Amino acid sequence: MCPNVLFQFKGVMFMELDKCLYGLPNIIDARQFDLEFLDRFFKIATDMEGVAKQGNCDLLHRKTMVQLFYEESTRTRASFAAAMIKLGGQIMFATENAKLFSSAAKGETLSDTIRVLCGYGPDVIVLRHNEDGAAEEAAMFSSVPIINAGTGKNQHPTQALLDIFTILKEVGHIDGVKIAMVGDLSNGRTVRSNSYLLGKFKGVEIDFVSPKCSMMGNDVKEYLGRHCVKFQESTDLREVAPHVDVIYQTRTQKERGSDFSRDDHSLGYFTVDKEILDLMKKDAIIMHPLPRVDEIDKEVDSDPRAAYFRQASNGLYARMALLKMILTPRA
Ligand code: CP
């Protein structure tokens, strides 16, 4: 495959950073954002936290959203819905399992569904899909902005935006941050999108901690190399925990075929528990995109360094900011 082809999806080749596809008003891929956008996003997300805490406003009065979810979701779907409502907009159509409860169950293609929904006049479509490249395909057929709410095992750009917003709020800076990304790295889309975004900043150091059967993909490591991000790989979180500002834990993606036991210490050590808390710096934080299964012990929740529920709340402010930036571009 030639180097500037990102990937092929249903016979269509997607070229790296095609501006028509990978730029506002679409949000498709974490690589599309530059530092100017990120700076503006942080400011608006901070403002949006104030708006959300004061109540609702009418900034997006008469604006409508479609939520087309072919995969399960709690946080992404609920926070986009809450963001739209808090800004005075409306949800025009929402399906939580489009594979079963839309005409996809009868064999309708994504591109046909997008073309039909656009005919009903939404202002934005939020799409989650199990296949890499689905957001690109939707954007090619849509007459309104597409927001990628997580596709395949490749991209979850709005999660990455809320994650680096959380790092900024909790740690105080992104340049120079030391982060451990832990768990099922070969199948996790959040760690991939976060690596892409962190590659935009200076002096970031990443420790990838995973069993050998689920190491970070070579494509991401090549990208980090091109962006001068230092990274190391290991199998034992206990060795890494004392040195990092952020532990970013992830669950095993069983729905994508991953299966390894965290109790099998011949594979390594990947659980955040009391032993890890005792090793961490006093001002470090623990993040997790959630949902959690067994990779963070419940006893960790009461430690002030456990930032994952605060992180989930930041998803609301981040998504309010993105909707404002997309739907009121001159505001
Ligand atoms: N973090 C995240 O994407 O969660 P949901 O799958 O619940 O949306």
Side-chain angles (χ1 to χ4, degrees), residues 139-263:
M140 284 173 52
F141 290 95
S142 180
S143 57
V144 302
I146 295 290
I147 300 179
N148 182 346
T151 43
K153 60 180 184 181
N154 195 14
Q155 284 286 338
H156 198 345
T158 70
Q159 178 72 44
L161 287 167
L162 81 87
D163 289 342
I164 64 164
F165 179 55
T166 300
I167 294 172
L168 184 63
K169 281 176 71 177
E170 299 267 343
V171 180
H173 57 93
I174 301 171
D175 285 334
V177 78
K178 293 185 171 59
I179 180 167
M181 297 192 193
V182 189
D184 185 9
L185 302 183
S186 64
N187 282 312
R189 57 194 174 201
T190 61
V191 283
R192 292 177 64 85
S193 284
N194 270 293
S195 298
Y196 290 138
L197 261 193
L198 289 170
K200 314 268 177 185
F201 292 85
K202 291 194 195 102
V204 171
E205 292 181 27
I206 305 179
D207 277 285
F208 292 122
V209 185
S210 71
K212 290 221 163 20
C213 60
S214 186
M215 294 166 77
M216 179 53 83
N218 286 333
D219 55 341
V220 171
K221 289 185 270 188
E222 280 160 22
Y223 170 94
L224 293 175
R226 285 200 302 279
H227 288 77
C228 303
V229 176
K230 277 196 210 162
F231 65 88
Q232 302 184 85
E233 295 178 285
S234 65
T235 57
D236 194 334
L237 181 56
R238 292 170 298 187
E239 290 168 7
V240 169
H243 313 295
V244 294
D245 306 304
V246 179
I247 291 177
Y248 190 97
Q249 177 65 295
T250 61
R251 78 183 161 86
T252 308
Q253 307 276 311
K254 290 200 167 158
E255 70 274 32
R256 296 187 215 294
S258 279
D259 200 8
F260 58 87
S261 167
R262 284 164 202 271
D263 297 330

Side-chain angles (χ1 to χ4, degrees), residues 72-76 128 156 159 289-291:
E72 310 78 359
S73 167
T74 297
R75 276 144 292 276
T76 313
R128 171 167 288 195
H156 198 345
Q159 178 72 44
L290 304 178

Side-chain angles (χ1 to χ4, degrees), residues 7 9-10 12 14 20-21 26-28 68 70 109-118 125-129 131-149 151:
F7 48 82
F9 182 67
K10 296 183 182 168
V12 179
F14 294 98
C20 297
L21 216 56
N26 292 321
I27 293 182
I28 303 289
L68 190 55
Y70 289 79
T109 61
L110 175 63
S111 55
D112 281 1
T113 302
I114 292 289
R115 278 191 274 210
V116 168
L117 289 172
C118 284
I125 297 176
V126 179
L127 173 72
R128 171 167 288 195
H129 203 283
E131 293 189 56
D132 293 340
E136 280 87 344
E137 186 187 22
M140 284 173 52
F141 290 95
S142 180
S143 57
V144 302
I146 295 290
I147 300 179
N148 182 346
T151 43

